[in-house]
Amino acid sequence: MECQLCGAKHASDWTELLQRLGHSDLKAQRCALKRLSTAALPRSLRSEARRRLRELLLEAPGKNSREVLHLEAFELLASAELDGHEASPPWFSSEEIQSSLAAPLMQVLLSHWERDEFSLGKLMMLQLRWVEAGDVAPMAAAGFALKVLRRVGERERTSSAPLRWSEDQLQFLARVSQLARQGLSRLTLPRDQMVPFLVKSLHHFLAAAETNTECQQLCLEILAFLCGKDEDLDCASDIRERYPIDEIWNLMMDADEEFHQDRRMGRRPWVRGTTG
């Protein structure tokens, strides 16, 4: 039958499918990924499929349609890693994740999480696994969460009516909160200059957020974690040693003073310094 995705008529030969995965044509690659994600590949060809998928993911992602291809490739990787298929040895080394995969995955997540047609739960779980294993820099994880919070806050503030997030989007935001807490648990205070920046940014997002919105709830959840009010994560066990409460309160007071001063001067403090 003719494929709805690429318009070609496919043979049932698995070798032909793997050849399409290595094809230069985008539609052919997407077609192969879709079929691989829904079919049981013969064991004799799994190592070859794994090799070709590795090559595809280690390519530098392009723009627009290439990003969709990487989204689908990451989905296939997440299914294989999280469901236990081919989990040993790992698909990628720590060096490959750090240098070639962590940043593209975050970019894919940022680009698609607001769109209802994508469910990103497995991709967020894969990202969390990488953070917990130390394959993603703590600052990168925390910075990713700030970018999402900024988008959430801006959408909620500029919407003419209360936003209704889908269940998939809410699940994604819950994972963002967990990702932020995992990242923050690996930073140090006060010598790390990024920690004051992160705390002040969270305060600014919270102060600018509308009441009973997702932005407000996420900021409160992350700040409560820093203040030792969250014990549902293993990484919270030594949070008081990493973040002395008096240091946190001092940072919060400084942020509050800065926020109100900027408002009096007509500036938007919740935007300044959070685009990086």
Side-chain angles (χ1 to χ4, degrees):
M1 295 181 64
E2 186 175 283
C3 175
Q4 294 181 353
L5 185 62
C6 71
K9 292 184 178 180
H10 299 307
S12 58
D13 182 17
W14 288 109
T15 304
E16 183 262 355
L17 175 63
L18 294 180
Q19 289 174 348
R20 294 180 70 80
L21 189 60
H23 202 282
S24 60
D25 180 68
L26 176 64
K27 288 184 178 180
Q29 288 180 306
R30 290 191 62 198
C31 174
L33 284 171
K34 288 291 186 185
R35 293 179 67 195
L36 280 170
S37 66
T38 58
L41 194 67
R43 184 176 294 276
S44 60
L45 294 176
R46 289 180 187 174
S47 60
E48 178 63 15
R50 176 174 172 146
R51 183 185 69 80
R52 290 182 180 270
L53 183 61
R54 275 178 46 82
E55 290 176 353
L56 180 61
L57 281 167
L58 289 173
E59 288 179 4
K63 297 181 179 179
N64 303 325
S65 57
R66 295 290 302 176
E67 191 172 276
V68 174
L69 177 66
H70 269 71
L71 169 66
E72 293 167 350
F74 274 124
E75 286 177 338
L76 190 56
L77 171 65
S79 295
E81 288 279 10
L82 299 175
D83 294 342
H85 302 309
E86 305 288 342
S88 180
W91 281 69
F92 295 96
S93 67
S94 294
E95 292 75 16
E96 289 172 327
I97 293 172
Q98 293 168 17
S99 63
S100 304
L101 298 179
L105 178 54
M106 286 185 179
Q107 184 55 50
V108 164
L109 291 167
L110 280 171
S111 298
H112 294 89
W113 77 270
E114 294 173 290
R115 299 163 62 179
D116 289 333
E117 65 265 36
F118 295 108
S119 178
L120 305 177
K122 277 193 174 182
L123 296 191
M124 282 300 291
M125 288 299 296
L126 180 64
Q127 188 72 272
L128 278 167
R129 174 179 286 189
W130 288 352
V131 172
E132 291 169 356
D135 296 331
V136 177
M139 186 56 215
F144 170 80
L146 284 186
K147 290 180 181 180
V148 174
L149 278 171
R150 182 188 179 198
R151 291 195 187 184
V152 172
E154 287 179 341
R155 282 194 61 185
E156 290 175 333
R157 283 192 303 274
T158 58
S159 176
S160 58
L163 290 178
R164 293 184 178 180
W165 302 100
S166 70
E167 186 60 34
D168 283 335
Q169 288 170 331
L170 292 175
Q171 287 293 325
F172 174 83
L173 294 177
R175 298 299 183 195
V176 167
S177 171
Q178 190 175 355
L179 193 69
R181 288 176 283 165
Q182 289 285 357
L184 286 167
S185 71
R186 288 166 168 77
L187 291 174
T188 57
L189 183 78
R191 284 181 288 275
D192 188 333
Q193 294 301 308
M194 295 310 298
V195 174
F197 165 74
L198 291 167
V199 172
K200 288 185 177 182
S201 297
L202 286 168
H203 174 276
H204 290 349
F205 289 143
L206 177 60
E210 301 294 330
T211 305
N212 296 324
T213 57
E214 286 302 313
C215 183
Q216 183 191 58
Q217 295 301 315
L218 287 168
C219 290
L220 285 172
E221 191 171 71
I222 298 170
L223 287 169
F225 170 76
L226 291 177
C227 293
K229 302 297 183 181
D230 184 352
E231 298 179 355
D232 65 334
L233 295 176
D234 292 339
C235 63
S237 59
D238 63 344
I239 200 67
R240 287 278 50 81
E241 287 74 23
R242 289 179 174 270
Y243 296 89
I245 193 67
D246 57 331
E247 296 284 353
I248 293 295
W249 282 115
N250 287 338
L251 288 173
M252 290 287 288
M253 290 173 64
D254 291 343
D256 192 65
E257 181 179 346
E258 179 185 286
F259 180 87
H260 287 95
Q261 180 179 355
D262 283 352
R263 270 201 162 176
R264 287 193 297 269
M265 298 179 67
R267 293 198 294 260
R268 297 172 63 196
W270 54 88
V271 176
R272 179 161 53 86
T274 60
T275 57

